[in-house]
Amino acid sequence: MKKDIKKVLDKVSSGNASPEEETMARLWLHQLHQNDEAALSEAELNEVSDEMWASLEKNRKQSSPRTGKLWPYISAAASLVLVAGMALYFYKYQSSAPVKAPQQYSNDVPAGSNKAYLTLTNGKKILLSTAANGMLAEEGGIKITKTADGQLVYTIADEGKKTTGKYNRIETPIGGQYELQLPDGTRVWLNAASSLKYPASFYGLSQRSVELIGEAYFEVAKDKTKPFVVKSKGQEVEVLGTHFDVNAYPDEQSIKTTLIEGSVKLNGQLTLKPGEQSVLRDGKFNVKEVNAVDAADWKNGEFVFTNESLTSILKKAARWYGVDIVYTNDLIIVPTFSGSVSRSENISSVLNMLEETSNVRFSIAGKQIRVTTK
């Protein structure tokens, strides 16, 4: 938890914090005096808080607010005051505060890994995690190869044999992920429990169209003459060449599209800018500013949570660790969570992070995670 606070404070100090992180830092400041193990005195808390709020209020009156940002104009002075107050907490108390021992589980669940199934146009199914490195197949003048680092690569093998109408499908199971490179050079990272259907060759097609179920991160090769389109239930994302993430799991209530760089057009009506995320729910789009890098945390080997609900976090854990989540009682007054954990760690690392900052408790029985609240 302290590492997460320090990380956010560094971003606030440098002026790179998102609105959510600025809000989080403010809440931490006001909650410190409620911590019996390490509390700021009332005088220290009030001094830091008053200076910060005075600076915020002055700056807010001098600036016109932007829609969608809770703390859009936090000043450098307020940031420094905030960091100073929090630093006082760290250096005054971190050496003396008792460290809570992590929960020890009688059994644990290992992380997922690179595994997927490739279905060719002739119906042949290949388990990529056990297939030998090298060429797997050749279809329509396209050579399909598995590289030494476990990536699936499509390359043009014979210009004269290019054909259209042939599709491949790659599917990751629960507890699996995979990376592939399409014939046009586009790179795709597929998250757990996801599938992507795509042409074995884009030759002769007016657009590069793929169909997604689940979540994928795209780095689209630029081609101004042939748009790249990602289709998922209720949404089409059209780009010419850019980096973005689409989360379109069937068991989620919305589809989230997050833009890292470039621009994308959604359903022909909405254009995103870098750092924006669209949420499509019940046929309506809502756009907000986010830390776009966090949306691709899974692709970079991390779980990153920013004010995220317990149910959302555990749903992600269930897909990656291949477990069932069982809630043994009603979740009453369960907070949101912020933090990060490596996806290569066992599930106990995720559960310990959640237990440290809430009244939620877990037990592991085989592939079942039982959730209770005190």
Side-chain angles (χ1 to χ4, degrees), residues 112-115 172-178 190-193 319-320 343:
S113 59
N114 287 337
K115 50 180 177 275
T172 54
I174 291 175
Q177 64 180 17
Y178 218 79
L190 206 61
N191 204 351
R319 295 188 190 114
W320 183 234
R343 275 174 46 116

Side-chain angles (χ1 to χ4, degrees), residues 252-319:
E252 297 287 359
Q253 296 181 339
S254 61
I255 297 177
K256 295 179 181 178
T257 304
T258 310
L259 184 60
I260 284 74
E261 66 176 56
S263 66
V264 300
K265 183 176 290 187
L266 305 177
N267 289 1
Q269 57 180 287
L270 175 67
T271 301
L272 291 184
K273 296 181 295 185
E276 290 185 336
Q277 180 184 83
S278 72
V279 180
L280 176 61
R281 186 193 297 261
D282 299 327
K284 297 181 180 179
F285 285 106
N286 179 50
V287 177
K288 59 182 180 179
E289 292 188 8
V290 297
N291 187 339
V293 176
D294 287 354
D297 58 347
W298 62 270
K299 174 242 181 190
N300 298 321
E302 286 190 285
F303 287 112
V304 177
F305 311 119
T306 303
N307 292 333
E308 190 162 348
S309 69
L310 177 67
T311 53
S312 175
I313 292 172
L314 292 181
K315 190 175 290 186
K316 292 178 179 179
R319 295 188 190 114

Side-chain angles (χ1 to χ4, degrees), residues 2 57 64 110 117 172 184-185 196 199 208 210 226 241 280 290 329:
K2 290 179 181 178
E57 185 62 26
S64 58
Y117 297 92
T172 54
D184 66 334
L196 187 74
R208 299 168 287 168
V210 302
K226 192 172 293 187
L280 176 61
V290 297
N329 59 359

Side-chain angles (χ1 to χ4, degrees), residues 154 181-187 202 208 220-223 228:
Y154 284 70
Q181 180 176 299
L182 299 177
D184 66 334
T186 292
R187 298 176 68 189
F202 293 118
R208 299 168 287 168
V220 178
K222 290 181 171 58
D223 185 346
F228 192 96

Side-chain angles (χ1 to χ4, degrees), residues 139-142 154 156 162-167 183 198-205:
E139 293 185 323
I142 299 296
Y154 284 70
I156 299 174
K162 292 185 201 175
T163 58
T164 59
K166 296 183 181 294
Y167 286 84
Y198 51 92
S201 170
F202 293 118
Y203 175 76
L205 301 176

